[in-house]
Amino acid sequence: MSTYVMLLNWTDQGIRNYKDTPERADAFAAATQKLGAKLLNLYWTVGSYDLVAVVEAPDDETVTAVLLQLGGVGNVRTTTLRAFGRKEMDRIVAKATG
């Protein structure tokens, strides 16, 4: 499974409905699982982003489906980063150095 870090900002709709954010988080976790991915962590943050989510997915297509579904609800806009763990980075470095 690949890991993705999602940086989320509330839209105008999302901030108007901030009281529902715990329930929206539960719905996001359920929808993510239904699509074949897994929400590992979700953090509400202070600063440039309102939330940070860490998701595992089997491939880019699955995480893209998760993002489309999440964005389609209209409460957040996302920036997504593919994250590499230590073992993955060891393999990448080995490949790069021959």
Side-chain angles (χ1 to χ4, degrees):
M1 290 270 234
S2 298
T3 303
Y4 300 86
V5 176
M6 299 175 179
L7 308 172
L8 299 96
N9 280 315
W10 280 330
T11 60
D12 289 342
Q13 172 184 304
I15 194 64
R16 274 194 310 272
N17 298 312
Y18 71 90
K19 292 178 185 177
D20 299 334
T21 191
E23 291 80 14
R24 294 192 320 237
D26 292 341
F28 174 54
T32 299
Q33 188 166 0
K34 188 174 181 180
L35 289 170
K38 181 178 181 183
L39 177 63
L40 298 179
N41 285 298
L42 179 67
Y43 302 99
W44 287 262
T45 57
V46 176
S48 298
Y49 296 96
D50 298 313
L51 302 104
V52 176
V54 181
V55 172
E56 276 188 346
D59 51 49
D60 290 345
E61 291 84 6
T62 301
V63 81
T64 301
V66 167
L67 290 164
L68 286 170
Q69 207 171 66
L70 175 64
V73 176
N75 292 310
V76 294
R77 299 239 187 275
T78 63
T79 299
T80 303
L81 309 166
R82 170 64 167 91
F84 299 92
R86 174 60 190 259
K87 289 181 182 180
E88 290 171 301
M89 200 61 211
D90 286 342
R91 289 191 303 269
I92 292 166
V93 169
K95 185 179 280 191
T97 58

